[in-house]
Amino acid sequence: LCSPFQTLERHTQTITGALPELRAHKKHTEQTLQNLAEAGLFESSEAYWQRLTATAAIPRHDSGWRVFILTCDRPEALKRLLSGLSRQTLPAAVEGIWVIDDSRGEFNTEHNAQIIASLSSELNCAIHHVDAGKRNHLIEELKTTLPQYSQSIDWLLAHSAWGDHPTYGIARNLSLLLSVGKRVLVLDDDIIPEGITPPLAATPLRFGAANQREAGFYASREALAKHTLRMNESPLAAMLHSLGEPLGNIIPQHLSGHTDLVGFDGSFFSEHDGSSRALVSQCGSWGDPGTGQAGWTIHLNDTSITRLLETSADIEEVLGSRSSWLGYRGPVLSHYATLSQLTGLDHSALLPPYLPAGRGEDILFGIMLQRLHPESVVLNQGWAIHHDPMEDRSERGMLTPLSVKLTTSLLGNWLGREPVDQWGLPVERRLIGLAEQLRRLRAMTPAALTSLIHQELVSQRCVLLSRCFEHLGRCDRLEDAPGFGAWKQFLEASRDQLVSEIQSTDETLFNSSGSNDLASDLARLQEQGGAFAEALTAWPEICDVAATLG
C-alpha cells in the first residue's frame, strides 16, 4: 500500500482506508510508519532522487549511429518511406541507412534495388541494400570464422532453416550484427517518417508499464487525418536524443526535484541508480496499432475503453479501420520493451538475438533484454510514429473471443520469471543462464513438458479471465455508449471461452500444426528449444566477429 511516494500522513490515510480495523488507531499507525522510516525500511523521495540522479557523467556517443529499414515484399511501402526520409535532413551522427531486404519474391528484391538506386542521391547519407546475396555472404564469413557455430549461425540468419515460416526475427538479427557497438534506429517499412503529437494533454515524465498505454479511436482514416498534429522535429532525431543515456542524465531533463516524485511508484526502480541506462527507446502508433487482432483492447484502461465505445456502435468497424492512437502522452520509463514501428536500440551493450521465425519475437526480445540487463530501462516517447500499412487489414478488427494457445508468449512468460541464482551475475553469464533454462526444457520427459505447458496455459488464461471480470464489473456504467452492446458481448464470449479452456482436460497443445502426433510435436518443440539454447551460447562470439567484418 505504500509504494507510491506520499507523506507519512497520507500513507496513514491510505492504510486506514484500506484496513477498517485500523481506522480507530490512526495515531498508532502513523507512529509505526515513522518507526519504519527511522529504521531505514522506507526510502524518502529525496534519497530516491539522489540515487537516480547522482552519477558520474557518461560521455554521449555523437557518432556511429545507424538506421535500419526492415522490408519484406512491399516495394511501394519502401519507396514511400525513403521518399519521406529524402525530404528530411537526417541527424549528422547517422552513418548511413541499411535496408534489410527479407523479400521472398525475386521481383520485389529487384524492385527494391531500383528504388534504392533512384533515391540514394536525394538522401544526405549513404544507403546500403542488404539483399539475400549479402546476407548469405555474411553467413558464410561468420561460418568460416566460427565453424563450431555453423548450425547456430544458420538457425539465426538463414531462410533455409525455417522454410515458409515468416522470418521477422532474421531481419532484426541482421540489424544487430551490422550494428555491434552502435546506437541503432530500426524502422518498419510501412511507416511515414513523421512524429505525431498525442491527441490528449501532455503529461510529465513518469514510471509505468507497457500495459498502461492509452488509446484514442477515430471512425475512419479521414477522421484520423483531421486530428493529426505533426511534430516539427524529425522523429529519428527525437528518438536518438536520450537513447543510451543514464537515468542520471534523463530524469533531471524532465523533473526539477524530489517533490516531483509525489505519487510515483517507488517500487518500479528500487534496484536502479543514476547509471542505469536507456538501452531501448520506443514510441506510440498513429493509425494502425500494429497488432495482429483486436484482443489488445482488453488491456486498455477504462478511459480508453470509453473512447472506443463512444466512437461508434460498430466497434469492429472502428478497430478494422486501423485509425487509432496507441501510446503515452508523455515520456514514460518502464522495465520491458514491447518494440514499436520505430525503435531505438543501444547495441554498445550486449543485446540478445531475436527468435528468428514466427510472431512474438519482439516481446520475447524485451523479456530477454531485461534478464540480461535488469538495471536498464526502456524510454517510451510521448509521441507516436505514423503507421500506415498499404494492404487492407480490416479483418484485424474482429473481436474474436479471447483464447490462449501455445505461442511464443508462453516461453516469454516462463523466461521472464528469473531464477534467484541469476541475480548479480555479469551479462555474459546471465545469457548462459537463459540458455541453460532452454536446455532443461529440452531434457524434460514428454509428460513433464506437457504438464509445464498446461500450467503456463492455465496461468495466462486466468490473467485474461481476471481482466474480463474487471471490465464486466465496470462496463454497465457505459451502457449509454453506442458500442456498449458489442463490447459486453465480446467480454462475455471471452469469459466463456477462457473458462472452457481452463476446464478442458482433453486439449490439443499443437492445434495449428496439423499433426495428431503429440510425441513428435513435443520432440520438434524441444529440438527448437535446444537450437535456441545453442544460439544464445554462441551469440556473443558471433557479435564479436560480425563487428570485425566491416
Side-chain angles (χ1 to χ4, degrees), residues 288-307:
D288 191 306
T291 56
Q293 39 70 42
W296 61 277
T297 52
I298 195 71
H299 298 293
L300 293 174
N301 60 23
D302 290 348
T303 305
S304 298
I305 295 296
T306 301
R307 296 188 194 111

mmCIF file of all heavy atoms in Angstrom, residues 288-307:
data_model
loop_
_atom_site.group_PDB
_atom_site.id
_atom_site.type_symbol
_atom_site.label_atom_id
_atom_site.label_comp_id
_atom_site.label_asym_id
_atom_site.label_seq_id
_atom_site.Cartn_x
_atom_site.Cartn_y
_atom_site.Cartn_z
ATOM 1 N N ASP A 288 -2.426 2.610 -37.668
ATOM 2 C CA ASP A 288 -2.503 1.177 -37.374
ATOM 3 C C ASP A 288 -1.710 0.877 -36.105
ATOM 4 O O ASP A 288 -0.534 1.205 -36.019
ATOM 5 C CB ASP A 288 -1.917 0.392 -38.553
ATOM 6 C CG ASP A 288 -2.193 -1.087 -38.471
ATOM 7 O OD1 ASP A 288 -1.865 -1.690 -37.438
ATOM 8 O OD2 ASP A 288 -2.735 -1.638 -39.440
ATOM 9 N N PRO A 289 -2.336 0.228 -35.105
ATOM 10 C CA PRO A 289 -1.599 -0.053 -33.868
ATOM 11 C C PRO A 289 -0.554 -1.153 -34.015
ATOM 12 O O PRO A 289 0.244 -1.363 -33.108
ATOM 13 C CB PRO A 289 -2.712 -0.491 -32.896
ATOM 14 C CG PRO A 289 -3.786 -1.035 -33.776
ATOM 15 C CD PRO A 289 -3.744 -0.197 -35.028
ATOM 16 N N GLY A 290 -0.563 -1.851 -35.147
ATOM 17 C CA GLY A 290 0.451 -2.871 -35.383
ATOM 18 C C GLY A 290 0.146 -4.221 -34.791
ATOM 19 O O GLY A 290 0.983 -5.117 -34.804
ATOM 20 N N THR A 291 -1.053 -4.399 -34.258
ATOM 21 C CA THR A 291 -1.424 -5.664 -33.629
ATOM 22 C C THR A 291 -2.059 -6.603 -34.646
ATOM 23 O O THR A 291 -2.657 -6.161 -35.632
ATOM 24 C CB THR A 291 -2.421 -5.422 -32.488
ATOM 25 O OG1 THR A 291 -3.554 -4.712 -33.008
ATOM 26 C CG2 THR A 291 -1.769 -4.597 -31.390
ATOM 27 N N GLY A 292 -1.958 -7.905 -34.379
ATOM 28 C CA GLY A 292 -2.487 -8.898 -35.304
ATOM 29 C C GLY A 292 -3.974 -9.133 -35.173
ATOM 30 O O GLY A 292 -4.586 -9.754 -36.036
ATOM 31 N N GLN A 293 -4.593 -8.677 -34.116
ATOM 32 C CA GLN A 293 -6.022 -8.854 -33.886
ATOM 33 C C GLN A 293 -6.500 -7.768 -32.933
ATOM 34 O O GLN A 293 -5.724 -6.913 -32.535
ATOM 35 C CB GLN A 293 -6.318 -10.255 -33.347
ATOM 36 C CG GLN A 293 -5.306 -10.802 -32.345
ATOM 37 C CD GLN A 293 -5.323 -10.119 -30.998
ATOM 38 O OE1 GLN A 293 -6.391 -9.844 -30.469
ATOM 39 N NE2 GLN A 293 -4.170 -9.836 -30.442
ATOM 40 N N ALA A 294 -7.793 -7.807 -32.589
ATOM 41 C CA ALA A 294 -8.373 -6.729 -31.789
ATOM 42 C C ALA A 294 -8.369 -7.015 -30.298
ATOM 43 O O ALA A 294 -8.813 -6.181 -29.515
ATOM 44 C CB ALA A 294 -9.802 -6.449 -32.259
ATOM 45 N N GLY A 295 -7.877 -8.177 -29.891
ATOM 46 C CA GLY A 295 -7.884 -8.527 -28.471
ATOM 47 C C GLY A 295 -7.020 -7.646 -27.598
ATOM 48 O O GLY A 295 -7.145 -7.679 -26.373
ATOM 49 N N TRP A 296 -6.145 -6.831 -28.213
ATOM 50 C CA TRP A 296 -5.277 -5.940 -27.441
ATOM 51 C C TRP A 296 -6.090 -4.949 -26.615
ATOM 52 O O TRP A 296 -5.604 -4.418 -25.611
ATOM 53 C CB TRP A 296 -4.325 -5.179 -28.369
ATOM 54 C CG TRP A 296 -4.991 -4.304 -29.385
ATOM 55 C CD1 TRP A 296 -5.492 -4.696 -30.598
ATOM 56 C CD2 TRP A 296 -5.223 -2.896 -29.305
ATOM 57 N NE1 TRP A 296 -6.012 -3.614 -31.277
ATOM 58 C CE2 TRP A 296 -5.875 -2.501 -30.505
ATOM 59 C CE3 TRP A 296 -4.947 -1.925 -28.349
ATOM 60 C CZ2 TRP A 296 -6.249 -1.188 -30.761
ATOM 61 C CZ3 TRP A 296 -5.313 -0.610 -28.600
ATOM 62 C CH2 TRP A 296 -5.954 -0.253 -29.785
ATOM 63 N N THR A 297 -7.331 -4.709 -27.019
ATOM 64 C CA THR A 297 -8.158 -3.731 -26.310
ATOM 65 C C THR A 297 -8.467 -4.155 -24.882
ATOM 66 O O THR A 297 -8.787 -3.310 -24.043
ATOM 67 C CB THR A 297 -9.477 -3.513 -27.074
ATOM 68 O OG1 THR A 297 -10.092 -4.786 -27.335
ATOM 69 C CG2 THR A 297 -9.220 -2.817 -28.405
ATOM 70 N N ILE A 298 -8.366 -5.446 -24.574
ATOM 71 C CA ILE A 298 -8.691 -5.923 -23.224
ATOM 72 C C ILE A 298 -7.741 -5.334 -22.187
ATOM 73 O O ILE A 298 -8.065 -5.242 -21.009
ATOM 74 C CB ILE A 298 -8.655 -7.466 -23.167
ATOM 75 C CG1 ILE A 298 -9.342 -8.006 -21.908
ATOM 76 C CG2 ILE A 298 -7.228 -7.982 -23.211
ATOM 77 C CD1 ILE A 298 -10.833 -7.850 -21.925
ATOM 78 N N HIS A 299 -6.555 -4.898 -22.623
ATOM 79 C CA HIS A 299 -5.554 -4.382 -21.682
ATOM 80 C C HIS A 299 -5.641 -2.861 -21.500
ATOM 81 O O HIS A 299 -4.857 -2.291 -20.743
ATOM 82 C CB HIS A 299 -4.151 -4.751 -22.166
ATOM 83 C CG HIS A 299 -3.916 -6.223 -22.249
ATOM 84 N ND1 HIS A 299 -3.879 -7.031 -21.135
ATOM 85 C CD2 HIS A 299 -3.741 -7.052 -23.325
ATOM 86 C CE1 HIS A 299 -3.671 -8.288 -21.516
ATOM 87 N NE2 HIS A 299 -3.585 -8.320 -22.820
ATOM 88 N N LEU A 300 -6.587 -2.213 -22.176
ATOM 89 C CA LEU A 300 -6.710 -0.766 -22.062
ATOM 90 C C LEU A 300 -7.397 -0.366 -20.767
ATOM 91 O O LEU A 300 -8.160 -1.146 -20.180
ATOM 92 C CB LEU A 300 -7.503 -0.218 -23.247
ATOM 93 C CG LEU A 300 -6.833 -0.336 -24.625
ATOM 94 C CD1 LEU A 300 -7.789 0.117 -25.711
ATOM 95 C CD2 LEU A 300 -5.527 0.455 -24.669
ATOM 96 N N ASN A 301 -7.151 0.877 -20.349
ATOM 97 C CA ASN A 301 -7.811 1.366 -19.136
ATOM 98 C C ASN A 301 -9.242 1.806 -19.459
ATOM 99 O O ASN A 301 -9.657 1.857 -20.617
ATOM 100 C CB ASN A 301 -7.013 2.513 -18.502
ATOM 101 C CG ASN A 301 -6.840 3.706 -19.431
ATOM 102 O OD1 ASN A 301 -7.608 3.910 -20.370
ATOM 103 N ND2 ASN A 301 -5.834 4.513 -19.162
ATOM 104 N N ASP A 302 -9.998 2.122 -18.408
ATOM 105 C CA ASP A 302 -11.419 2.446 -18.584
ATOM 106 C C ASP A 302 -11.633 3.654 -19.479
ATOM 107 O O ASP A 302 -12.577 3.691 -20.283
ATOM 108 C CB ASP A 302 -12.063 2.699 -17.214
ATOM 109 C CG ASP A 302 -12.195 1.427 -16.399
ATOM 110 O OD1 ASP A 302 -12.001 0.341 -16.967
ATOM 111 O OD2 ASP A 302 -12.493 1.525 -15.196
ATOM 112 N N THR A 303 -10.762 4.660 -19.346
ATOM 113 C CA THR A 303 -10.928 5.872 -20.145
ATOM 114 C C THR A 303 -10.769 5.568 -21.633
ATOM 115 O O THR A 303 -11.532 6.068 -22.473
ATOM 116 C CB THR A 303 -9.916 6.942 -19.716
ATOM 117 O OG1 THR A 303 -10.048 7.181 -18.311
ATOM 118 C CG2 THR A 303 -10.143 8.237 -20.461
ATOM 119 N N SER A 304 -9.787 4.737 -21.980
ATOM 120 C CA SER A 304 -9.573 4.374 -23.385
ATOM 121 C C SER A 304 -10.735 3.532 -23.912
ATOM 122 O O SER A 304 -11.162 3.707 -25.065
ATOM 123 C CB SER A 304 -8.255 3.610 -23.536
ATOM 124 O OG SER A 304 -7.148 4.413 -23.156
ATOM 125 N N ILE A 305 -11.253 2.626 -23.087
ATOM 126 C CA ILE A 305 -12.401 1.820 -23.499
ATOM 127 C C ILE A 305 -13.609 2.719 -23.753
ATOM 128 O O ILE A 305 -14.355 2.534 -24.722
ATOM 129 C CB ILE A 305 -12.744 0.772 -22.421
ATOM 130 C CG1 ILE A 305 -11.599 -0.246 -22.274
ATOM 131 C CG2 ILE A 305 -14.050 0.062 -22.748
ATOM 132 C CD1 ILE A 305 -11.346 -1.072 -23.506
ATOM 133 N N THR A 306 -13.799 3.709 -22.893
ATOM 134 C CA THR A 306 -14.902 4.651 -23.086
ATOM 135 C C THR A 306 -14.776 5.353 -24.425
ATOM 136 O O THR A 306 -15.764 5.522 -25.160
ATOM 137 C CB THR A 306 -14.931 5.684 -21.945
ATOM 138 O OG1 THR A 306 -15.089 5.004 -20.695
ATOM 139 C CG2 THR A 306 -16.074 6.667 -22.123
ATOM 140 N N ARG A 307 -13.563 5.780 -24.789
ATOM 141 C CA ARG A 307 -13.361 6.440 -26.086
ATOM 142 C C ARG A 307 -13.748 5.510 -27.234
ATOM 143 O O ARG A 307 -14.352 5.944 -28.223
ATOM 144 C CB ARG A 307 -11.899 6.868 -26.236
ATOM 145 C CG ARG A 307 -11.438 7.916 -25.239
ATOM 146 C CD ARG A 307 -10.038 8.420 -25.589
ATOM 147 N NE ARG A 307 -9.487 9.159 -24.471
ATOM 148 C CZ ARG A 307 -8.465 8.756 -23.721
ATOM 149 N NH1 ARG A 307 -7.859 7.603 -23.998
ATOM 150 N NH2 ARG A 307 -8.029 9.482 -22.719
#
